[in-house]
Amino acid sequence: MRIELTVNGTRREADDVWEGESLLYALRERLGLPGSKNACEQGECGSCTVYLDGTPVCACLVAAGQAQGREVTTVEGLAGEELDPVQQAFVEKGAVQCGFCTPGFLMSTKDLLERNPEPTDPEIREALAGNLCRCTGYEKILDAVRAAAVAKR
Amino acid sequence: MDFLAPTSWAEALETKAAHPDALPVAGGTDVMVELNFDHRRPAALLDLTRVPELQEWSRDAGRIRLGAGVTYSRVITELGGALPGLAMAARTVGSPQIRNRGTVGGNLGAASPAGDSHPALLAAFAEVEIASVRGTRVVPVAEFFTGVKRSVLEADELIAAVRVTPPAGPQQFCKIGTRNAMVIAVSAFGFALHPDRRVVGTGIGSAAPTPRPAPEAAAFLAGELEAAGLWDSRGPLPEGLATDFGRRVRDAAAPIDDVRGSAAYRLHALSVMARRAATWAWDSYRDENRSAAA
Ligand SMILES: Cc1cc2nc3c(=O)[nH]c(=O)nc-3n(C[C@H](O)[C@H](O)[C@H](O)COP(=O)(O)OP(=O)(O)OC[C@H]3O[C@@H](n4cnc5c(N)ncnc54)[C@H](O)[C@@H]3O)c2cc1C
Ligand code: FES
Ligand code: FES
């Protein structure tokens, strides 16, 4: 089937989409947007986190057909001329090692700071509970989230 | 495979009647895992996210009618006050991303013994509104589950909504898992005091083939409270009563050993959760009185 959706502000179409295929697969394999990562395909790791109509979701658990006509924002849509303050903070605090989890953490962090500009540490942990990182031990990621909160003020 | 995407409730029911083997998909947090891992190849997917009626909740004759497609995130933000037990359960589900997508209707549809909505809905004596082109029927949650991942839903039926009366008394939800986020319950317990009817509500999760209430334990506790005049006096619970209640809840369970925990551990955990839930709820009930008097 064909789906039409808005991705990062641009109208896009994908053809030959299999009816049981995930939005993650469609983004990566059909629309040339490999920023959202595929690590578990079962909602556990958050590396595929995108916004669907403004709400963060696991793209691996959305059927591509469910995104028909909807608005999707991926990590590719975060930076404008300059990096988003959340991306900048991750760079500056060394919150990235292999980088596989980073797109998901960026999307979840951005959502957190939009809802709650001054999160406490427990609130940060709760907001990032659906994102796993095998490299950093999370400390630098927490530093980056705190720094991004300050930078955005 | 077909992808069917009705845009109204009437169309959804007609589509399900015409394609009884189509698999409904709401938040997809159960269905998409099965598809991604090739555990399931349905003839068609029936997308319910474009059916506006399912995404709504309303107050109807003193009850809350919660559309099957309302997400956990919305239960938490919009219904934390009106459905406290269900909102407590919703806060323990998965992660923010899962709660943004997963729905109470999908939890019922999956009918897992470990579904976290179920103990809360059981304790609240909620009812499931089921519909098809043939009509609508209302089934108490306690009668909805028929086996592991099985329910009374017929092939042409969809879950329309859950009907819950906002509580007249405190509610509690307890869940044991290996960590706080992103766990399937090792076991769970829902509890509600219904002082208006002098009844106690209970719900056991992950400790039997289906979610189930503990009716004998509930009747025992309500009877003891009645006999001691405690519903009116709101005095302290007699020594040992909550522990005795916990033991009776445990006796209502029939757990198995599996990767998440042993049957023995589940039984122990249930007796502790039931004791604590009853104690916490009773303390809140007493506090309500004190704040009312103040
Ligand atoms: C990472 C992860 C963590 C999770 N953690 C938890 C947890 O902590 N607690 C918990 O209880 N669950 C958990 N789940 C399971 C899942 O999120 C819940 O069961 C959720 O409520 C399913 O809702 P959904 O809308 O996503 O359902 P879907 O996946 O869309 O559907 C689930 C089932 O219900 C059927 N269905 C959906 N809507 C209807 C309807 N209106 N009428 C008839 N049938 C319908 C579908 O056909 C399917 O069989 C988790 C899942 C994942 C991936
Ligand atoms: S790939 Fe989607 S949550 Fe892991
Ligand atoms: S940086 Fe490697 S998984 Fe997080």
Side-chain angles (χ1 to χ4, degrees):
Chain A
M1 62 179 177
R2 159 176 288 202
I3 60 166
E4 272 184 39
L5 67 171
T6 303
V7 187
N8 302 328
T10 308
R11 198 82 189 147
R12 300 290 305 266
E13 286 175 10
D15 280 313
D16 300 324
V17 171
W18 175 58
E19 288 71 14
E21 167 174 323
S22 71
L23 172 62
L24 178 63
Y25 188 91
L27 289 170
R28 289 177 56 84
E29 308 297 335
R30 302 196 192 279
L31 295 172
L33 292 166
S36 314
K37 298 299 177 217
N38 176 358
C40 74
E41 285 198 291
Q42 51 181 314
E44 294 278 347
C45 76
S47 64
C48 65
T49 304
V50 301
Y51 291 3
L52 181 65
D53 284 348
T55 304
V57 302
C58 296
C60 69
L61 300 183
V62 176
Q66 292 183 305
Q68 163 70 36
R70 311 259 188 221
E71 278 190 36
V72 175
T73 306
T74 70
V75 71
E76 287 95 338
L78 282 189
E81 292 283 290
E82 288 174 16
L83 290 181
D84 184 90
V86 174
Q87 291 173 305
Q88 193 60 43
F90 270 64
V91 172
E92 281 169 14
K93 294 295 170 183
V96 181
Q97 287 187 27
C98 80
F100 209 81
C101 68
T102 311
F105 273 101
L106 293 173
M107 301 308 284
S108 293
T109 303
K110 193 170 165 66
D111 174 65
L112 165 67
L113 297 181
E114 273 159 12
R115 286 181 291 111
N116 180 357
E118 293 182 40
T120 61
D121 275 9
E123 285 168 344
I124 297 174
R125 285 170 185 274
E126 174 57 33
L128 300 182
N131 294 82
L132 299 183
C133 174
R134 296 299 298 269
C135 302
T136 63
Y138 301 102
E139 286 304 326
K140 306 267 185 195
I141 292 177
L142 292 178
D143 288 347
V145 178
R146 292 185 205 108
V150 172
K152 285 184 77 141
R153 256 171 240 155
Chain B
M1 197 187 280
D2 279 333
F3 193 88
L4 309 166
T7 54
S8 72
W9 182 231
E11 190 190 346
L13 293 179
E14 281 159 26
T15 311
K16 187 67 173 132
H19 303 264
D21 52 0
L23 180 67
V25 54
T29 58
D30 283 309
V31 167
M32 289 305 291
V33 175
E34 293 182 323
L35 290 185
N36 290 344
F37 284 81
D38 255 332
H39 291 158
R40 201 150 170 172
R41 274 289 171 272
L45 284 180
L46 176 60
D47 177 23
L48 296 176
T49 57
R50 283 169 217 279
V51 178
E53 292 90 335
L54 290 178
Q55 332 297 330
E56 290 164 8
W57 64 266
S58 58
R59 284 175 200 273
D60 181 15
R63 310 193 79 188
I64 304 259
R65 185 178 178 279
L66 180 70
V70 176
T71 61
Y72 293 112
S73 294
R74 289 184 55 204
V75 169
I76 294 165
T77 54
E78 299 169 29
L79 290 162
L83 303 177
L86 185 62
M88 287 172 98
R91 283 189 199 97
T92 75
V93 171
S95 63
Q97 292 95 321
I98 300 298
R99 295 193 289 273
N100 284 343
R101 257 336 252 175
T103 65
V104 175
N107 213 209
L108 286 166
S112 161
D116 284 322
S117 314
H118 311 148
L121 294 174
L122 284 166
F125 298 105
E127 294 171 332
V128 189
E129 188 184 314
I130 298 171
S132 69
V133 288
R134 295 176 285 128
T136 298
R137 59 185 177 129
V138 175
V139 176
V141 172
E143 291 163 29
F144 179 79
F145 307 103
T146 55
V148 178
K149 303 197 174 173
R150 284 174 188 283
S151 72
V152 298
L153 277 188
E154 302 282 351
D156 64 343
E157 288 181 321
L158 293 171
I159 301 167
V162 173
R163 299 183 187 172
V164 203
T165 306
Q171 302 190 337
Q172 281 292 336
F173 175 80
C174 307
K175 172 173 169 180
I176 300 273
T178 43
R179 66 174 183 135
N180 261 341
M182 203 66 112
V183 291
I184 306 177
V186 173
S187 55
F189 184 67
F191 182 84
L193 288 172
H194 300 279
D196 50 336
R197 292 181 287 149
R198 305 199 165 190
V199 164
V200 165
T202 52
I204 293 174
S206 278
T210 66
R212 57 161 77 156
E216 279 159 26
F220 162 78
L221 179 57
E224 292 292 308
L225 294 171
E226 184 74 61
L230 289 169
W231 288 112
D232 289 324
S233 73
R234 304 196 190 213
L237 286 183
E239 181 82 23
L241 178 58
T243 307
D244 204 353
F245 169 69
R247 246 181 257 123
R248 289 164 194 259
V249 168
R250 180 195 64 194
D251 292 343
I256 54 166
D257 293 324
D258 70 11
V259 287
R260 298 203 303 280
S262 66
Y265 178 73
R266 290 189 155 103
L267 290 173
H268 177 68
L270 256 186
S271 68
V272 173
M273 285 190 291
R275 166 168 58 78
R276 288 182 185 162
T279 308
W280 292 332
W282 190 256
D283 286 348
S284 312
Y285 183 57
R286 300 189 68 206
D287 281 348
E288 273 169 29
N289 200 32
R290 275 185 225 125
S291 34

